[in-house]
Amino acid sequence: MGAGGLSFRRDLLKPVIAAVNGLALGTGFELALACDLIVAAEHAEFGFPEPRVGYMALDGGITMLTRQIPYKIAMGLLLTGRRMSARDGRAAGFVNEVAPPADLIATAERWAADIIACAPLSVEGTKQIALEGRDLPAWASPRWFPRRVMEAIASEDSEEGTRAFREKRPPRWKGR
């Protein structure tokens, strides 16, 4: 069911990082696309080989790929079963960073540390807007805010972030 259910979830507000160290084909590629960030080893390759065996990427891969990169590039992968290198995935826009294999986990952990340095409610609210806002018309998305976002804006963490900025110190997040 959709790369272990991940590709169809709209309620997972914790950021998810894929660290791809090798081939991410078919469902593996769908799983990576369902994550919020992709860090890939230099030798990693991505693709949907399904059309070569009379099948399609039906666990969300077709729509996720066409929403995340330019249509023509996505269709080139989807219609031919060709593979794309990690560097080309970075250029296309679905890979956030390419790293040497020995540094892959450390690179993913650095991205995680950057996220953890932010206010938890702001991160969750941002992800909620990104997930749910994709289905809104372009004119409506700037005006739409779920309740969680309003709570984050009025939170103790929001006040702490402003105070820490003024005092030129790192914020101490409480998640409330």
Side-chain angles (χ1 to χ4, degrees):
M1 173 200 230
L6 188 60
S7 60
F8 297 118
R9 290 202 58 182
R10 292 278 196 259
D11 60 342
L12 180 61
L13 298 181
K14 300 293 182 190
V16 180
I17 301 171
V20 179
N21 189 11
L23 297 177
L25 303 175
T27 300
F29 191 15
E30 287 172 323
L31 183 59
L33 287 171
C35 294
D36 301 301
L37 303 170
I38 298 176
V39 177
E42 295 165 327
H43 64 274
E45 292 184 18
F46 302 85
F48 289 113
E50 287 87 342
R52 294 181 180 253
V53 295
Y55 200 62
M56 295 170 275
L58 296 177
D59 283 337
I62 295 169
T63 55
M64 285 188 291
L65 190 63
T66 57
R67 287 180 179 181
Q68 293 182 32
I69 66 174
Y71 181 79
K72 303 291 191 216
I73 297 171
M75 293 309 288
L77 288 173
L78 292 165
L79 297 175
T80 65
R82 291 180 181 175
R83 294 181 184 177
M84 183 176 277
S85 71
R87 293 217 183 279
D88 288 344
R90 173 82 172 106
F94 67 83
V95 172
N96 295 87
E97 188 170 345
V98 178
D103 297 337
L104 181 63
I105 299 302
T107 302
E109 288 173 343
R110 181 173 37 79
W111 279 92
D114 288 346
I115 293 168
I116 291 168
C118 297
L121 296 176
S122 294
V123 169
E124 288 181 6
T126 297
K127 184 168 177 181
Q128 184 177 23
I129 289 173
L131 286 171
E132 296 177 15
R134 284 191 293 192
D135 299 329
L136 294 175
W139 62 266
S141 56
R143 296 172 185 88
W144 171 82
F145 296 106
R147 195 180 99 236
R148 178 180 299 278
V149 173
M150 302 313 286
E151 290 171 356
I153 291 169
S155 70
E156 289 179 37
D157 278 354
S158 180
E159 293 174 18
E160 166 60 12
T162 303
R163 194 169 31 255
F165 177 78
R166 282 190 202 128
E167 296 172 5
K168 297 181 173 64
R169 63 170 173 80
R172 293 180 291 273
W173 308 123
K174 296 179 182 175
R176 57 178 193 245

